[in-house]
Short mmCIF file of all heavy atoms in Angstrom, two decimals:
data_model
loop_
_atom_site.label_atom_id
_atom_site.label_comp_id
_atom_site.label_asym_id
_atom_site.label_seq_id
_atom_site.Cartn_x
_atom_site.Cartn_y
_atom_site.Cartn_z
N MET G 18 -41.10 21.29 52.72
CA MET G 18 -42.12 21.56 51.78
C MET G 18 -41.73 22.80 50.97
O MET G 18 -41.22 23.75 51.51
CB MET G 18 -43.49 21.77 52.51
CG MET G 18 -44.59 21.84 51.51
SD MET G 18 -46.32 21.87 52.15
CE MET G 18 -46.22 21.42 53.84
N LEU G 19 -42.05 22.76 49.71
CA LEU G 19 -41.71 23.85 48.85
C LEU G 19 -42.86 24.85 48.66
O LEU G 19 -44.04 24.43 48.68
CB LEU G 19 -41.39 23.34 47.44
CG LEU G 19 -40.21 22.37 47.30
CD1 LEU G 19 -40.11 21.73 45.91
CD2 LEU G 19 -38.92 23.05 47.66
N ASN G 20 -42.57 26.12 48.53
CA ASN G 20 -43.60 27.07 48.26
C ASN G 20 -43.81 27.25 46.78
O ASN G 20 -43.10 26.68 45.95
CB ASN G 20 -43.34 28.44 49.00
CG ASN G 20 -42.12 29.15 48.43
OD1 ASN G 20 -41.85 29.11 47.24
ND2 ASN G 20 -41.38 29.87 49.29
N ASP G 21 -44.86 28.02 46.44
CA ASP G 21 -45.20 28.20 45.05
C ASP G 21 -44.03 28.67 44.18
O ASP G 21 -43.77 28.15 43.10
CB ASP G 21 -46.38 29.21 44.97
CG ASP G 21 -46.90 29.45 43.61
OD1 ASP G 21 -46.27 30.24 42.86
OD2 ASP G 21 -47.93 28.88 43.23
N ARG G 22 -43.32 29.67 44.60
CA ARG G 22 -42.22 30.23 43.84
C ARG G 22 -41.10 29.22 43.67
O ARG G 22 -40.50 29.08 42.57
CB ARG G 22 -41.70 31.48 44.56
CG ARG G 22 -40.62 32.22 43.76
CD ARG G 22 -40.13 33.51 44.49
NE ARG G 22 -39.69 33.30 45.82
CZ ARG G 22 -38.53 32.74 46.21
NH1 ARG G 22 -37.67 32.36 45.30
NH2 ARG G 22 -38.21 32.59 47.47
N GLN G 23 -40.80 28.44 44.75
CA GLN G 23 -39.78 27.47 44.67
C GLN G 23 -40.12 26.35 43.64
O GLN G 23 -39.26 25.89 42.92
CB GLN G 23 -39.50 26.84 46.04
CG GLN G 23 -38.86 27.81 47.00
CD GLN G 23 -38.87 27.24 48.41
OE1 GLN G 23 -39.84 26.65 48.89
NE2 GLN G 23 -37.74 27.43 49.09
N ILE G 24 -41.38 25.97 43.64
CA ILE G 24 -41.83 24.92 42.72
C ILE G 24 -41.76 25.41 41.32
O ILE G 24 -41.32 24.70 40.44
CB ILE G 24 -43.30 24.48 43.11
CG1 ILE G 24 -43.30 23.79 44.45
CG2 ILE G 24 -43.89 23.58 41.97
CD1 ILE G 24 -44.67 23.52 45.03
N ARG G 25 -42.18 26.63 41.07
CA ARG G 25 -42.09 27.17 39.69
C ARG G 25 -40.65 27.25 39.23
O ARG G 25 -40.33 27.01 38.03
CB ARG G 25 -42.81 28.54 39.66
CG ARG G 25 -44.31 28.40 39.77
CD ARG G 25 -45.01 29.74 39.89
NE ARG G 25 -46.42 29.61 40.22
CZ ARG G 25 -47.36 29.39 39.30
NH1 ARG G 25 -47.06 29.33 38.03
NH2 ARG G 25 -48.62 29.28 39.65
N THR G 26 -39.75 27.72 40.10
CA THR G 26 -38.36 27.84 39.76
C THR G 26 -37.78 26.42 39.45
O THR G 26 -37.06 26.23 38.50
CB THR G 26 -37.56 28.50 40.88
OG1 THR G 26 -38.09 29.79 41.08
CG2 THR G 26 -36.10 28.58 40.60
N LEU G 27 -38.07 25.47 40.30
CA LEU G 27 -37.67 24.11 40.13
C LEU G 27 -38.13 23.52 38.79
O LEU G 27 -37.37 22.97 38.03
CB LEU G 27 -38.18 23.19 41.27
CG LEU G 27 -37.94 21.73 41.13
CD1 LEU G 27 -36.43 21.39 41.09
CD2 LEU G 27 -38.67 20.96 42.20
N ALA G 28 -39.44 23.74 38.49
CA ALA G 28 -40.00 23.24 37.23
C ALA G 28 -39.26 23.88 36.04
O ALA G 28 -38.93 23.18 35.09
CB ALA G 28 -41.49 23.53 37.16
N ALA G 29 -39.01 25.17 36.10
CA ALA G 29 -38.33 25.89 35.00
C ALA G 29 -36.93 25.32 34.88
O ALA G 29 -36.41 25.11 33.71
CB ALA G 29 -38.32 27.36 35.26
N ASP G 30 -36.24 25.08 35.95
CA ASP G 30 -34.87 24.52 35.90
C ASP G 30 -34.82 23.14 35.30
O ASP G 30 -34.00 22.82 34.45
CB ASP G 30 -34.21 24.48 37.26
CG ASP G 30 -33.87 25.88 37.85
OD1 ASP G 30 -33.93 26.82 37.10
OD2 ASP G 30 -33.62 25.92 39.06
N VAL G 31 -35.71 22.29 35.75
CA VAL G 31 -35.78 20.92 35.22
C VAL G 31 -36.12 20.96 33.70
O VAL G 31 -35.53 20.29 32.88
CB VAL G 31 -36.79 20.05 35.97
CG1 VAL G 31 -37.03 18.72 35.32
CG2 VAL G 31 -36.33 19.87 37.42
N LEU G 32 -37.11 21.78 33.34
CA LEU G 32 -37.53 21.90 31.97
C LEU G 32 -36.41 22.43 31.10
O LEU G 32 -36.27 21.98 29.96
CB LEU G 32 -38.71 22.84 31.89
CG LEU G 32 -39.43 22.93 30.50
CD1 LEU G 32 -39.96 21.58 30.18
CD2 LEU G 32 -40.54 23.94 30.58
N ALA G 33 -35.60 23.34 31.61
CA ALA G 33 -34.47 23.88 30.81
C ALA G 33 -33.52 22.79 30.38
O ALA G 33 -32.87 22.89 29.28
CB ALA G 33 -33.75 24.92 31.62
N GLY G 34 -33.36 21.76 31.15
CA GLY G 34 -32.50 20.63 30.81
C GLY G 34 -33.08 19.68 29.76
O GLY G 34 -32.36 18.92 29.13
N ILE G 35 -34.39 19.76 29.58
CA ILE G 35 -35.13 18.85 28.68
C ILE G 35 -35.47 19.54 27.34
O ILE G 35 -35.31 19.01 26.32
CB ILE G 35 -36.38 18.31 29.38
CG1 ILE G 35 -36.00 17.50 30.60
CG2 ILE G 35 -37.22 17.51 28.44
CD1 ILE G 35 -37.11 17.27 31.53
N ALA G 36 -36.03 20.75 27.50
CA ALA G 36 -36.52 21.51 26.35
C ALA G 36 -36.10 22.96 26.53
O ALA G 36 -36.92 23.76 26.98
CB ALA G 36 -38.01 21.35 26.20
N PRO G 37 -34.83 23.26 26.27
CA PRO G 37 -34.32 24.64 26.61
C PRO G 37 -35.11 25.77 25.94
O PRO G 37 -35.11 26.87 26.39
CB PRO G 37 -32.93 24.62 26.04
CG PRO G 37 -32.56 23.18 25.74
CD PRO G 37 -33.83 22.41 25.69
N GLU G 38 -35.75 25.44 24.79
CA GLU G 38 -36.50 26.49 24.05
C GLU G 38 -37.88 26.76 24.69
O GLU G 38 -38.51 27.79 24.37
CB GLU G 38 -36.64 26.07 22.58
CG GLU G 38 -37.61 24.92 22.33
CD GLU G 38 -37.08 23.51 22.70
OE1 GLU G 38 -35.93 23.37 23.09
OE2 GLU G 38 -37.93 22.60 22.69
N ALA G 39 -38.33 25.89 25.55
CA ALA G 39 -39.66 26.03 26.14
C ALA G 39 -39.64 27.18 27.20
O ALA G 39 -38.72 27.24 28.03
CB ALA G 39 -40.08 24.72 26.81
N GLU G 40 -40.67 28.00 27.19
CA GLU G 40 -40.74 29.12 28.09
C GLU G 40 -41.94 28.87 29.07
O GLU G 40 -43.05 29.14 28.73
CB GLU G 40 -41.00 30.43 27.38
CG GLU G 40 -39.73 30.85 26.62
CD GLU G 40 -39.83 32.19 26.04
OE1 GLU G 40 -40.39 33.10 26.75
OE2 GLU G 40 -39.39 32.43 24.96
N LEU G 41 -41.63 28.33 30.23
CA LEU G 41 -42.61 27.99 31.20
C LEU G 41 -43.40 29.25 31.62
O LEU G 41 -44.60 29.11 31.93
CB LEU G 41 -41.98 27.30 32.40
CG LEU G 41 -42.92 26.64 33.40
CD1 LEU G 41 -43.78 25.62 32.74
CD2 LEU G 41 -42.08 26.01 34.52
N SER G 42 -42.74 30.35 31.65
CA SER G 42 -43.40 31.60 32.16
C SER G 42 -44.55 32.03 31.27
O SER G 42 -45.42 32.79 31.62
CB SER G 42 -42.42 32.74 32.29
OG SER G 42 -41.80 33.00 31.01
N SER G 43 -44.63 31.49 30.00
CA SER G 43 -45.68 31.87 29.07
C SER G 43 -46.91 30.97 29.17
O SER G 43 -47.89 31.21 28.49
CB SER G 43 -45.12 31.82 27.61
OG SER G 43 -44.83 30.49 27.25
N VAL G 44 -46.83 30.00 30.03
CA VAL G 44 -47.93 29.04 30.18
C VAL G 44 -48.81 29.42 31.35
O VAL G 44 -48.34 29.70 32.45
CB VAL G 44 -47.33 27.62 30.39
CG1 VAL G 44 -48.47 26.59 30.51
CG2 VAL G 44 -46.39 27.23 29.28
N GLY G 45 -50.10 29.42 31.07
CA GLY G 45 -51.09 29.67 32.13
C GLY G 45 -51.16 28.55 33.14
O GLY G 45 -50.80 27.37 32.83
N ASP G 46 -51.63 28.87 34.33
CA ASP G 46 -51.67 27.89 35.42
C ASP G 46 -52.50 26.65 35.14
O ASP G 46 -52.27 25.57 35.65
CB ASP G 46 -52.15 28.54 36.72
CG ASP G 46 -51.12 29.36 37.41
OD1 ASP G 46 -49.93 29.34 36.98
OD2 ASP G 46 -51.47 30.04 38.38
N HIS G 47 -53.51 26.78 34.24
CA HIS G 47 -54.37 25.67 33.96
C HIS G 47 -54.26 25.10 32.54
O HIS G 47 -55.04 24.30 32.13
CB HIS G 47 -55.84 26.08 34.27
CG HIS G 47 -56.04 26.48 35.68
ND1 HIS G 47 -56.11 25.55 36.70
CD2 HIS G 47 -56.09 27.68 36.31
CE1 HIS G 47 -56.23 26.18 37.86
NE2 HIS G 47 -56.23 27.47 37.67
N GLU G 48 -53.24 25.59 31.84
CA GLU G 48 -52.95 25.02 30.49
C GLU G 48 -52.16 23.71 30.65
O GLU G 48 -51.42 23.53 31.61
CB GLU G 48 -52.10 26.00 29.72
CG GLU G 48 -52.75 27.18 29.10
CD GLU G 48 -51.80 27.95 28.25
OE1 GLU G 48 -51.61 27.58 27.12
OE2 GLU G 48 -51.26 28.96 28.76
N ASP G 49 -52.41 22.81 29.72
CA ASP G 49 -51.73 21.58 29.69
C ASP G 49 -50.24 21.86 29.29
O ASP G 49 -49.99 22.32 28.22
CB ASP G 49 -52.36 20.59 28.70
CG ASP G 49 -51.80 19.22 28.80
OD1 ASP G 49 -50.55 19.03 28.81
OD2 ASP G 49 -52.60 18.27 28.77
N LEU G 50 -49.34 21.54 30.15
CA LEU G 50 -47.93 21.79 29.92
C LEU G 50 -47.42 21.10 28.70
O LEU G 50 -46.62 21.63 27.95
CB LEU G 50 -47.08 21.41 31.13
CG LEU G 50 -47.30 22.21 32.45
CD1 LEU G 50 -46.63 21.51 33.61
CD2 LEU G 50 -46.87 23.63 32.28
N ARG G 51 -47.88 19.90 28.49
CA ARG G 51 -47.43 19.07 27.36
C ARG G 51 -47.78 19.76 26.02
O ARG G 51 -46.99 19.82 25.10
CB ARG G 51 -48.05 17.68 27.39
CG ARG G 51 -47.65 16.91 28.67
CD ARG G 51 -48.57 15.74 28.92
NE ARG G 51 -49.92 16.20 28.98
CZ ARG G 51 -50.97 15.44 28.76
NH1 ARG G 51 -50.81 14.15 28.52
NH2 ARG G 51 -52.18 15.91 28.85
N GLU G 52 -49.01 20.25 25.95
CA GLU G 52 -49.43 20.95 24.70
C GLU G 52 -48.80 22.33 24.59
O GLU G 52 -48.34 22.68 23.54
CB GLU G 52 -50.95 21.06 24.67
CG GLU G 52 -51.67 19.70 24.48
CD GLU G 52 -53.14 19.83 24.48
OE1 GLU G 52 -53.68 20.97 24.31
OE2 GLU G 52 -53.83 18.83 24.68
N ALA G 53 -48.85 23.06 25.68
CA ALA G 53 -48.35 24.45 25.63
C ALA G 53 -46.87 24.55 25.30
O ALA G 53 -46.43 25.47 24.70
CB ALA G 53 -48.67 25.14 26.92
N LEU G 54 -46.13 23.55 25.77
CA LEU G 54 -44.65 23.53 25.59
C LEU G 54 -44.20 22.56 24.53
O LEU G 54 -43.02 22.40 24.32
CB LEU G 54 -43.96 23.29 26.91
CG LEU G 54 -44.27 24.26 28.02
CD1 LEU G 54 -43.75 23.79 29.38
CD2 LEU G 54 -43.76 25.67 27.69
N ASP G 55 -45.13 21.94 23.83
CA ASP G 55 -44.84 20.99 22.79
C ASP G 55 -43.91 19.82 23.30
O ASP G 55 -42.88 19.55 22.70
CB ASP G 55 -44.24 21.65 21.60
CG ASP G 55 -44.30 20.77 20.35
OD1 ASP G 55 -45.13 19.95 20.28
OD2 ASP G 55 -43.40 20.97 19.49
N LEU G 56 -44.26 19.27 24.46
CA LEU G 56 -43.47 18.18 25.02
C LEU G 56 -44.13 16.84 24.60
O LEU G 56 -45.31 16.63 24.75
CB LEU G 56 -43.57 18.24 26.58
CG LEU G 56 -43.00 19.49 27.22
CD1 LEU G 56 -43.23 19.46 28.74
CD2 LEU G 56 -41.54 19.70 26.94
N ASP G 57 -43.27 16.00 24.09
CA ASP G 57 -43.80 14.62 23.76
C ASP G 57 -43.80 13.78 25.00
O ASP G 57 -43.36 14.27 26.08
CB ASP G 57 -42.98 13.99 22.60
CG ASP G 57 -41.50 13.73 22.91
OD1 ASP G 57 -41.16 13.64 24.15
OD2 ASP G 57 -40.71 13.70 22.01
N SER G 58 -44.26 12.57 24.91
CA SER G 58 -44.40 11.78 26.14
C SER G 58 -43.08 11.51 26.80
O SER G 58 -43.01 11.49 28.00
CB SER G 58 -45.12 10.47 25.80
OG SER G 58 -44.42 9.75 24.81
N MET G 59 -42.01 11.30 26.03
CA MET G 59 -40.72 11.11 26.60
C MET G 59 -40.18 12.31 27.31
O MET G 59 -39.59 12.24 28.40
CB MET G 59 -39.73 10.59 25.55
CG MET G 59 -38.39 10.13 26.10
SD MET G 59 -38.60 8.83 27.38
CE MET G 59 -38.73 7.42 26.33
N ASP G 60 -40.38 13.51 26.72
CA ASP G 60 -39.96 14.75 27.39
C ASP G 60 -40.69 14.93 28.70
O ASP G 60 -40.12 15.31 29.70
CB ASP G 60 -40.27 15.94 26.48
CG ASP G 60 -39.30 16.07 25.31
OD1 ASP G 60 -38.23 15.48 25.33
OD2 ASP G 60 -39.70 16.76 24.35
N PHE G 61 -42.02 14.67 28.69
CA PHE G 61 -42.80 14.82 29.91
C PHE G 61 -42.34 13.84 30.94
O PHE G 61 -42.19 14.19 32.14
CB PHE G 61 -44.30 14.69 29.64
CG PHE G 61 -45.09 15.07 30.86
CD1 PHE G 61 -45.25 16.44 31.21
CD2 PHE G 61 -45.66 14.15 31.65
CE1 PHE G 61 -45.94 16.80 32.35
CE2 PHE G 61 -46.39 14.51 32.81
CZ PHE G 61 -46.51 15.83 33.13
N LEU G 62 -42.10 12.58 30.54
CA LEU G 62 -41.60 11.57 31.52
C LEU G 62 -40.27 12.04 32.11
O LEU G 62 -40.10 11.92 33.31
CB LEU G 62 -41.46 10.23 30.83
CG LEU G 62 -40.85 9.12 31.65
CD1 LEU G 62 -41.72 8.81 32.85
CD2 LEU G 62 -40.64 7.86 30.82
N ASN G 63 -39.39 12.56 31.28
CA ASN G 63 -38.08 13.09 31.80
C ASN G 63 -38.28 14.25 32.71
O ASN G 63 -37.55 14.41 33.68
CB ASN G 63 -37.15 13.41 30.66
CG ASN G 63 -36.63 12.19 29.97
OD1 ASN G 63 -36.44 11.12 30.58
ND2 ASN G 63 -36.38 12.26 28.69
N PHE G 64 -39.30 15.06 32.44
CA PHE G 64 -39.64 16.17 33.30
C PHE G 64 -40.03 15.71 34.70
O PHE G 64 -39.58 16.14 35.71
CB PHE G 64 -40.75 17.02 32.64
CG PHE G 64 -41.26 18.21 33.42
CD1 PHE G 64 -40.38 19.24 33.79
CD2 PHE G 64 -42.56 18.28 33.85
CE1 PHE G 64 -40.85 20.34 34.51
CE2 PHE G 64 -43.03 19.37 34.50
CZ PHE G 64 -42.17 20.40 34.83
N VAL G 65 -40.92 14.68 34.71
CA VAL G 65 -41.42 14.11 36.00
C VAL G 65 -40.29 13.44 36.75
O VAL G 65 -40.17 13.61 37.96
CB VAL G 65 -42.58 13.10 35.70
CG1 VAL G 65 -42.97 12.37 37.00
CG2 VAL G 65 -43.77 13.83 35.12
N ILE G 66 -39.44 12.73 36.04
CA ILE G 66 -38.30 12.07 36.65
C ILE G 66 -37.36 13.14 37.25
O ILE G 66 -36.85 13.03 38.37
CB ILE G 66 -37.53 11.18 35.68
CG1 ILE G 66 -38.38 9.97 35.31
CG2 ILE G 66 -36.17 10.81 36.19
CD1 ILE G 66 -37.83 9.14 34.12
N GLY G 67 -37.14 14.24 36.53
CA GLY G 67 -36.24 15.32 37.01
C GLY G 67 -36.86 15.94 38.25
O GLY G 67 -36.10 16.25 39.21
N LEU G 68 -38.16 16.15 38.25
CA LEU G 68 -38.79 16.78 39.49
C LEU G 68 -38.62 15.79 40.63
O LEU G 68 -38.30 16.25 41.74
CB LEU G 68 -40.29 16.98 39.19
CG LEU G 68 -40.62 18.08 38.18
CD1 LEU G 68 -42.11 18.05 37.87
CD2 LEU G 68 -40.20 19.45 38.73
N SER G 69 -38.81 14.51 40.38
CA SER G 69 -38.69 13.51 41.48
C SER G 69 -37.24 13.50 42.02
O SER G 69 -37.06 13.53 43.23
CB SER G 69 -39.02 12.14 40.92
OG SER G 69 -38.88 11.16 41.91
N GLU G 70 -36.32 13.51 41.11
CA GLU G 70 -34.88 13.49 41.53
C GLU G 70 -34.50 14.73 42.31
O GLU G 70 -33.79 14.68 43.33
CB GLU G 70 -33.98 13.33 40.33
CG GLU G 70 -34.06 11.97 39.72
CD GLU G 70 -33.21 11.84 38.44
OE1 GLU G 70 -32.78 12.89 37.88
OE2 GLU G 70 -33.11 10.69 37.92
N ARG G 71 -34.95 15.87 41.83
CA ARG G 71 -34.54 17.17 42.47
C ARG G 71 -35.22 17.38 43.80
O ARG G 71 -34.67 18.04 44.70
CB ARG G 71 -34.85 18.32 41.55
CG ARG G 71 -34.08 18.39 40.25
CD ARG G 71 -32.66 18.99 40.37
NE ARG G 71 -32.72 20.39 40.84
CZ ARG G 71 -32.75 21.41 40.03
NH1 ARG G 71 -32.81 21.25 38.69
NH2 ARG G 71 -32.81 22.62 40.50
N THR G 72 -36.47 16.81 43.97
CA THR G 72 -37.15 17.00 45.25
C THR G 72 -36.90 15.82 46.23
O THR G 72 -37.17 15.97 47.39
CB THR G 72 -38.70 17.07 45.03
OG1 THR G 72 -39.15 15.85 44.44
CG2 THR G 72 -39.05 18.29 44.21
N GLY G 73 -36.35 14.73 45.70
CA GLY G 73 -36.19 13.54 46.50
C GLY G 73 -37.51 12.85 46.84
O GLY G 73 -37.60 12.02 47.77
N ARG G 74 -38.50 13.20 46.15
CA ARG G 74 -39.89 12.66 46.35
C ARG G 74 -40.26 11.74 45.20
O ARG G 74 -40.32 12.17 44.07
CB ARG G 74 -40.86 13.82 46.47
CG ARG G 74 -42.30 13.42 46.65
CD ARG G 74 -43.19 14.68 46.73
NE ARG G 74 -44.56 14.22 46.85
CZ ARG G 74 -45.54 15.09 47.05
NH1 ARG G 74 -45.30 16.39 47.18
NH2 ARG G 74 -46.75 14.61 47.15
N PRO G 75 -40.61 10.47 45.53
CA PRO G 75 -41.05 9.58 44.42
C PRO G 75 -42.40 10.11 43.82
O PRO G 75 -43.25 10.58 44.58
CB PRO G 75 -41.24 8.28 45.12
CG PRO G 75 -40.77 8.38 46.50
CD PRO G 75 -40.55 9.85 46.80
N ILE G 76 -42.45 10.06 42.51
CA ILE G 76 -43.66 10.45 41.84
C ILE G 76 -44.14 9.21 41.05
O ILE G 76 -43.54 8.96 39.97
CB ILE G 76 -43.47 11.67 40.94
CG1 ILE G 76 -42.99 12.87 41.75
CG2 ILE G 76 -44.78 12.02 40.22
CD1 ILE G 76 -42.62 14.09 40.90
N PRO G 77 -45.11 8.48 41.56
CA PRO G 77 -45.56 7.32 40.85
C PRO G 77 -46.16 7.68 39.45
O PRO G 77 -46.72 8.77 39.33
CB PRO G 77 -46.65 6.74 41.77
CG PRO G 77 -46.48 7.43 43.06
CD PRO G 77 -45.78 8.72 42.82
N GLU G 78 -46.00 6.77 38.51
CA GLU G 78 -46.54 6.98 37.18
C GLU G 78 -48.00 7.38 37.23
O GLU G 78 -48.51 8.15 36.45
CB GLU G 78 -46.30 5.78 36.30
CG GLU G 78 -46.65 5.96 34.88
CD GLU G 78 -46.32 4.75 34.03
OE1 GLU G 78 -45.47 3.97 34.38
OE2 GLU G 78 -46.94 4.60 32.97
N ALA G 79 -48.74 6.77 38.14
CA ALA G 79 -50.17 6.98 38.29
C ALA G 79 -50.48 8.44 38.62
O ALA G 79 -51.57 8.96 38.37
CB ALA G 79 -50.77 6.03 39.29
N ASP G 80 -49.51 9.10 39.25
CA ASP G 80 -49.73 10.54 39.62
C ASP G 80 -49.30 11.52 38.53
O ASP G 80 -49.56 12.73 38.69
CB ASP G 80 -48.89 10.87 40.94
CG ASP G 80 -49.52 10.25 42.15
OD1 ASP G 80 -50.68 9.73 42.07
OD2 ASP G 80 -48.88 10.32 43.22
N ALA G 81 -48.72 11.08 37.53
CA ALA G 81 -48.26 11.95 36.41
C ALA G 81 -49.34 12.89 35.89
O ALA G 81 -49.11 14.10 35.70
CB ALA G 81 -47.61 11.18 35.29
N PRO G 82 -50.60 12.44 35.73
CA PRO G 82 -51.64 13.38 35.24
C PRO G 82 -51.90 14.52 36.15
O PRO G 82 -52.35 15.60 35.72
CB PRO G 82 -52.89 12.45 35.16
CG PRO G 82 -52.32 11.07 34.93
CD PRO G 82 -51.07 11.07 35.73
N LYS G 83 -51.51 14.39 37.42
CA LYS G 83 -51.68 15.49 38.35
C LYS G 83 -50.72 16.69 38.06
O LYS G 83 -50.89 17.74 38.55
CB LYS G 83 -51.50 15.03 39.80
CG LYS G 83 -52.55 14.00 40.22
CD LYS G 83 -52.30 13.51 41.61
CE LYS G 83 -53.29 12.47 42.02
NZ LYS G 83 -53.04 11.91 43.35
N LEU G 84 -49.69 16.34 37.25
CA LEU G 84 -48.68 17.34 36.97
C LEU G 84 -48.82 17.91 35.59
O LEU G 84 -47.92 18.63 35.07
CB LEU G 84 -47.27 16.62 37.07
CG LEU G 84 -47.02 15.90 38.37
CD1 LEU G 84 -45.65 15.24 38.34
CD2 LEU G 84 -47.14 16.80 39.60
N PHE G 85 -49.96 17.68 34.89
CA PHE G 85 -50.16 18.15 33.56
C PHE G 85 -50.26 19.68 33.46
O PHE G 85 -50.05 20.23 32.43
CB PHE G 85 -51.36 17.55 32.93
CG PHE G 85 -51.25 16.10 32.50
CD1 PHE G 85 -52.32 15.36 32.09
CD2 PHE G 85 -50.00 15.48 32.50
CE1 PHE G 85 -52.20 14.08 31.71
CE2 PHE G 85 -49.82 14.13 32.09
CZ PHE G 85 -50.94 13.42 31.64
N THR G 86 -50.66 20.35 34.58
CA THR G 86 -50.76 21.77 34.61
C THR G 86 -49.86 22.36 35.70
O THR G 86 -49.54 21.63 36.64
CB THR G 86 -52.23 22.25 34.87
OG1 THR G 86 -52.58 21.84 36.19
CG2 THR G 86 -53.23 21.67 33.88
N MET G 87 -49.55 23.61 35.58
CA MET G 87 -48.74 24.24 36.62
C MET G 87 -49.49 24.27 37.92
O MET G 87 -48.90 24.03 39.01
CB MET G 87 -48.32 25.66 36.21
CG MET G 87 -47.34 26.30 37.17
SD MET G 87 -45.90 25.30 37.58
CE MET G 87 -44.96 25.41 36.10
N ALA G 88 -50.80 24.54 37.90
CA ALA G 88 -51.61 24.55 39.12
C ALA G 88 -51.56 23.21 39.80
O ALA G 88 -51.42 23.05 41.02
CB ALA G 88 -53.03 24.91 38.83
N GLY G 89 -51.68 22.13 38.95
CA GLY G 89 -51.58 20.77 39.49
C GLY G 89 -50.23 20.44 40.07
O GLY G 89 -50.09 19.82 41.12
N LEU G 90 -49.20 20.87 39.37
CA LEU G 90 -47.84 20.64 39.79
C LEU G 90 -47.57 21.35 41.17
O LEU G 90 -47.01 20.72 42.07
CB LEU G 90 -46.86 21.18 38.75
CG LEU G 90 -45.46 20.81 38.92
CD1 LEU G 90 -44.98 19.94 37.79
CD2 LEU G 90 -44.61 22.05 38.99
N VAL G 91 -48.00 22.57 41.27
CA VAL G 91 -47.83 23.34 42.52
C VAL G 91 -48.57 22.63 43.68
O VAL G 91 -48.07 22.51 44.78
CB VAL G 91 -48.24 24.83 42.31
CG1 VAL G 91 -48.37 25.49 43.64
CG2 VAL G 91 -47.28 25.52 41.43
N ALA G 92 -49.77 22.22 43.39
CA ALA G 92 -50.61 21.57 44.45
C ALA G 92 -49.96 20.23 44.85
O ALA G 92 -49.90 19.90 46.01
CB ALA G 92 -52.04 21.35 43.90
N TYR G 93 -49.44 19.46 43.89
CA TYR G 93 -48.87 18.19 44.17
C TYR G 93 -47.59 18.30 44.98
O TYR G 93 -47.41 17.61 45.97
CB TYR G 93 -48.65 17.41 42.85
CG TYR G 93 -48.19 15.97 43.03
CD1 TYR G 93 -49.14 14.97 43.19
CD2 TYR G 93 -46.85 15.70 43.00
CE1 TYR G 93 -48.71 13.67 43.33
CE2 TYR G 93 -46.42 14.37 43.19
CZ TYR G 93 -47.36 13.39 43.33
OH TYR G 93 -46.96 12.05 43.50
N LEU G 94 -46.70 19.14 44.46
CA LEU G 94 -45.41 19.23 45.17
C LEU G 94 -45.41 20.11 46.39
O LEU G 94 -44.56 19.97 47.26
CB LEU G 94 -44.36 19.82 44.18
CG LEU G 94 -43.95 18.84 42.99
CD1 LEU G 94 -42.95 19.58 42.10
CD2 LEU G 94 -43.43 17.55 43.51
N GLY G 95 -46.40 20.97 46.45
CA GLY G 95 -46.49 21.83 47.65
C GLY G 95 -47.31 21.21 48.81
O GLY G 95 -47.28 21.69 49.93
N GLY G 96 -47.96 20.11 48.48
CA GLY G 96 -48.89 19.50 49.45
C GLY G 96 -48.26 18.56 50.44
O GLY G 96 -47.22 18.19 50.62
#
């Protein structure tokens, strides 16, 4: 299981490969990552796929809305 810091680092690493100009550290825990980082649906899908690949944990499409915020992402991957 990953802790909060590990999840945030992982998210930043995955995001860097998709949208290098996006600064995850500037996004509040409850802000919508898609809006705050100007991610289109394909970018967000690639972000979710990258998280799944890096963690080895399947993330069903139905669970994607749980990852819209950093707080949701930390709760989902840390749980």
Side-chain angles (χ1 to χ4, degrees):
M18 189 172 346
L19 300 171
N20 66 36
D21 182 280
R22 185 179 53 77
Q23 291 170 318
I24 293 168
R25 290 173 188 275
T26 299
L27 171 65
D30 289 348
V31 171
L32 188 62
I35 297 164
E38 71 287 350
E40 290 190 38
L41 190 58
S42 61
S43 68
V44 180
D46 283 353
H47 299 284
E48 282 185 80
D49 189 314
L50 295 170
R51 299 163 305 158
E52 290 178 19
L54 300 172
D55 196 28
L56 300 176
D57 63 25
S58 58
M59 189 56 82
D60 287 340
F61 189 75
L62 176 61
N63 286 329
F64 178 62
V65 172
I66 290 169
L68 292 171
S69 178
E70 289 174 349
R71 294 277 299 271
T72 61
R74 176 180 177 174
I76 301 174
E78 186 177 336
D80 285 353
K83 296 177 183 178
L84 309 178
F85 286 170
T86 66
M87 186 52 71
L90 189 117
V91 167
Y93 187 86
L94 292 178

